[in-house]
Amino acid sequence: AQSVTQPDIHITVSEGASLELRCNYSYGATPYLFWYVQSPGQGLQLLLKYFSGDTLVQGIKGFEAEFKRSQSSFNLRKPSVHWSDAAEYFCAVGAGGFKTIFGAGTRLFVKA
Amino acid sequence: DAGITQSPRHKVTETGTPVTLRCHQTENHRYMYWYRQDPGHGLRLIHYSYGVKDTDKGEVSDGYSVSRSKTEDFLLTLESATSSQTSVYFCAISDARLDDEQFFGPGTRLTVL
């Protein structure tokens, strides 16, 4: 069955430090992969998406993610975190038909 | 921002009462979705629609029904609300099945006492 695992429930990083959020997926075919961000009290907003081609994708707000088929991973990175990046981040996979499977989310805390 | 509104934004109701949540879009997107968000579970699909009067079940559809009589409106009904349906409900829209992002509404926080 398709699934998405985000191993870290929450992560704390210092402002200006680099960030990597992990995502592993289980899917039998070539996946469509997404990262969304949710600020408190808001809906989700797309950060970036991967369908095919270059395995390193760039997104909004300075985020990037790398698709590694051999590891079934799609980790999100940012070289320097800003306090405004504090939010919850969701990895998702297009699971065929009309379904998108979301991970449980990773909450990012940024300390000054 | 995509034109998606949800109403009400907050609701408190009692066990056993019917509740209807409304999602309204101004983007003319074909696909509409209802999710619920619970801590530790991410978002789980309740129902979705692939056109007017065309709907289907998601992974957590028990106790919920939907209707879509117009492109712009997608209604979610809790036929007899239970405490386990206390959650935050999100509507989303998209213009393609997989290869496009979903745009999310602001959410409805529902509390069932």
Side-chain angles (χ1 to χ4, degrees), chain A:
Chain A
Q2 304 95 343
S3 65
V4 177
T5 301
Q6 294 180 246
D8 303 304
I9 296 172
H10 53 80
I11 282 181
T12 300
V13 299
S14 298
E15 191 168 18
S18 63
L19 170 70
E20 182 169 29
L21 302 182
R22 296 183 291 164
C23 173
N24 294 98
Y25 67 89
S26 172
Y27 187 64
T30 301
Y32 295 85
L33 294 163
F34 308 85
W35 275 100
Y36 287 85
V37 61
Q38 184 182 32
S39 298
Q42 309 270 331
L44 278 68
Q45 179 187 20
L46 182 74
L47 284 176
L48 47 79
K49 59 188 177 184
Y50 170 79
F51 301 139
S52 64
D54 193 346
T55 56
L56 184 64
V57 294
Q58 303 296 321
I60 62 171
K61 306 184 180 186
F63 286 91
E64 66 178 27
E66 186 171 13
F67 170 58
K68 293 185 177 180
R69 184 186 301 275
S70 62
Q71 298 177 19
S72 298
S73 69
F74 189 56
N75 293 350
L76 182 71
R77 301 194 293 249
K78 186 170 185 178
S80 178
V81 169
H82 187 263
W83 64 265
S84 61
D85 293 324
E88 190 154 21
Y89 292 80
F90 293 92
C91 181
V93 60
F98 303 96
K99 299 179 182 178
T100 299
I101 306 296
F102 288 83
T106 297
R107 182 165 294 280
L108 173 64
F109 298 95
V110 180
K111 61 182 181 181

Side-chain angles (χ1 to χ4, degrees), chain B residues 75-94:
Chain B
L75 303 180
L76 176 71
T77 298
L78 287 65
E79 293 138 10
S80 177
T82 68
S83 58
S84 64
Q85 294 175 311
T86 293
S87 186
V88 180
Y89 291 85
F90 286 99
C91 174
I93 64 174
S94 70

Side-chain angles (χ1 to χ4, degrees), chain A residues 27 32 34 36 38 41-46 49 51 88 90 93-105, chain B residues 9 31 33 35 37 40-45 48 50 57-59 90 97-107:
Chain A
Y27 187 64
Y32 295 85
F34 308 85
Y36 287 85
Q38 184 182 32
Q42 309 270 331
L44 278 68
Q45 179 187 20
L46 182 74
K49 59 188 177 184
F51 301 139
E88 190 154 21
F90 293 92
V93 60
F98 303 96
K99 299 179 182 178
T100 299
I101 306 296
F102 288 83
Chain B
R9 295 291 314 279
Y31 304 96
Y33 310 82
Y35 293 92
Q37 183 179 30
H41 291 278
L43 276 78
R44 293 180 292 176
L45 182 65
Y48 62 94
Y50 48 95
K57 297 178 180 180
E59 63 177 308
F90 286 99
R97 284 168 49 171
L98 289 177
D99 57 355
D100 201 358
E101 66 179 290
Q102 292 184 30
F103 298 93
F104 285 81

